[in-house]
Amino acid sequence: MRLALPALFRRSSPPLVGVDISPSSVKIVEIGLGSKTAMRLERYAIEPIERGAIVDGNIENPEAVADALLRALKKSGCRARHAAIALPSAAVITKRITLPAGLSDEDYELQVETEASQYIPFPIEEVNLDFQVLGPSAGSGDDVDVLIAASRKEKVEDRVAVAEMAGLTPIVMDVEPYAARITIDHVAGFLPNHGEGQVLAVFDIGQQVTTLTVSLDGTTIFEREQAFGGNQLTQDVVRLYGLTPEEAEVKKKSGDLPDNFHRDLLGPFVEQAALECARALQFFFTSTPYTRVDRVFVAGGCAVIDGMVEAVFQRTNVPAELLSPFQGMECAPSIRERQLRVDASALLIGAGLAMRRFDA
């Protein structure tokens, strides 16, 4: 089965569920047409994945991941059967190349395969390969810029298998940063002047990794991942209170921890997270021609920790706010808005995948 990568440029008109498979959880999002706004959040769910089921982005236990996906679908009441899934950026090789304008699709495919073989460190028959013509090249009016994306077939097939085990049919295979960019562009549309001319930084503080994405006028100008996330806090809870990792996760979310937790663990974790964000932003300044960031958004499961946004603002000295992927959307009656405020920032990728339905 050939799934296009990044397949992010095609319209997907039927109901579509965005499936974000991360090391710690499966997140699903379904977005439909609104009656008063362009889009409506129909349903979503977040379900934890058995520890060790995903290691370094590789699905080691497909049954456990599929079980979490099934629970999420059942919990949300989702009946959509078409799915958009994403690969982690580490599993995908992307390259921008220049080709002559005006070629047929078949000619572009042949050219892309020839060019891709220069950049892919394994046989071309072992990869899923896709491309997108981005537009005229700045260097020549007779050429176009083309984005190539390639991933080992087993990486794609593992995620397809999980979706199919849960009764879904994958019709879009995306790449996580591209899916996140759809959400970022959606949120930017609600800024003054639709965010035009503003340098926007998004920190996605996940379970194991913090990702910085900097964009300007709809174009990603910088990306950086660093090994820091909520798992560090979980391990601190395990060490200090003698709990299992599973118990620590549950008690972190419920708040059922001793009084010294905030002082001895949570406060230092928030400060360290903000410091990591400031360091990443400084790296952006020193490694690019840009000297400013106009606004910071904080996303990910750790974003809603008390004091996190404020700490990021203090460390970066840039106006910071919590990112909500569903800004300007209606919500279905079944959505509990109080819970959504807690969960929304963790749905950055899932929301972007769900919005693939509306791609022109």
Side-chain angles (χ1 to χ4, degrees):
M1 179 178 184
R2 183 180 186 274
L3 288 181
L5 289 172
L8 49 165
F9 310 101
R10 300 179 306 172
R11 184 175 180 83
S12 176
S13 55
L16 184 71
V17 56
V19 179
D20 175 19
I21 301 173
S22 73
S24 60
S25 65
V26 168
K27 309 173 189 73
I28 66 165
V29 178
E30 184 184 345
I31 295 173
L33 293 168
S35 58
K36 298 178 182 178
T37 60
M39 291 181 279
R40 181 172 97 151
L41 174 60
E42 300 289 355
R43 49 190 61 85
Y44 80 92
I46 303 173
E47 281 294 309
I49 296 175
E50 178 183 306
R51 196 172 186 85
I54 297 180
V55 179
D56 295 330
N58 299 314
I59 297 178
E60 303 291 345
N61 188 340
E63 291 78 12
V65 180
D67 182 61
L69 177 52
L70 276 167
R71 294 198 310 271
L73 293 168
K74 183 177 180 180
K75 179 180 178 180
S76 68
C78 180
R79 292 185 174 86
R81 295 297 96 185
H82 289 162
I85 314 175
L87 288 161
S89 56
V92 183
I93 297 171
T94 58
K95 182 71 177 178
R96 187 186 291 241
I97 64 172
T98 301
L99 293 176
L103 299 181
S104 66
D105 288 345
E106 292 78 12
D107 286 337
Y108 275 125
E109 282 193 26
L110 290 172
Q111 292 271 6
V112 163
E113 285 199 13
T114 301
E115 292 283 338
S117 62
Q118 302 178 41
Y119 307 109
I120 299 171
F122 26 79
I124 197 74
E125 61 270 13
E126 295 180 6
V127 304
N128 281 93
L129 177 68
D130 199 17
F131 69 94
Q132 174 63 29
V133 178
L134 301 177
S137 175
S140 169
D142 296 327
D143 296 327
V144 289
D145 288 333
V146 178
L147 178 68
I148 300 174
S151 179
R152 295 292 293 266
K153 285 184 177 179
E154 62 263 29
K155 304 287 187 182
V156 176
E157 290 165 356
D158 285 350
R159 280 164 169 74
V160 170
V162 164
E164 291 178 341
M165 288 167 66
L168 298 177
T169 300
I171 61 172
V172 173
M173 182 64 73
D174 211 329
V175 187
E176 288 177 359
Y178 289 92
R181 258 287 310 285
I182 289 187
T183 302
I184 295 168
D185 290 347
H186 170 76
V187 172
F190 293 91
L191 295 174
N193 203 29
H194 304 292
E196 186 176 342
Q198 292 193 44
V199 180
L200 307 176
V202 178
F203 289 103
D204 185 1
I205 309 173
Q207 187 69 4
Q208 297 180 355
V209 173
T210 294
T211 303
L212 167 62
T213 303
V214 186
S215 63
L216 172 63
D217 295 336
T219 300
T220 298
I221 57 176
F222 182 81
E223 287 180 327
R224 178 177 169 85
E225 284 188 355
Q226 46 203 117
F228 178 88
N231 190 56
Q232 180 168 318
L233 180 59
T234 301
Q235 294 304 316
D236 289 342
V237 171
V238 167
R239 284 192 293 269
L240 187 59
Y241 302 118
L243 303 173
T244 67
E246 291 75 16
E247 291 170 337
E249 281 293 335
V250 170
K251 290 182 179 292
K252 268 173 51 181
K253 293 176 181 177
S254 67
D256 183 23
L257 287 165
D259 293 341
N260 68 334
F261 167 68
H262 286 78
R263 182 190 70 241
D264 294 344
L265 295 185
L266 189 62
F269 173 79
V270 168
E271 180 61 24
Q272 183 63 35
L275 185 60
E276 295 290 340
C277 291
R279 287 172 176 165
L281 213 55
Q282 191 58 42
F283 190 83
F284 163 67
F285 292 137
T286 57
S287 59
T288 72
Y290 298 92
T291 58
R292 77 176 205 278
V293 164
D294 299 299
R295 190 181 299 258
V296 163
F297 291 98
V298 186
C302 296
V304 293
I305 294 176
D306 285 345
M308 181 65 77
V309 173
E310 293 80 2
V312 171
F313 164 62
Q314 290 173 2
R315 279 291 184 178
T316 63
N317 200 30
V318 178
E321 61 186 90
L322 190 67
L323 186 145
S324 173
F326 311 110
Q327 191 168 351
M329 292 189 197
E330 301 169 48
C331 288
S334 60
I335 300 293
R336 293 183 295 170
E337 294 195 18
R338 178 178 294 182
Q339 187 62 43
L340 179 62
R341 286 195 291 270
V342 174
D343 296 333
S345 64
L347 300 171
L348 176 71
I349 293 170
L353 290 169
M355 281 188 265
R356 287 291 181 216
R357 177 183 181 182
F358 304 96
D359 283 353

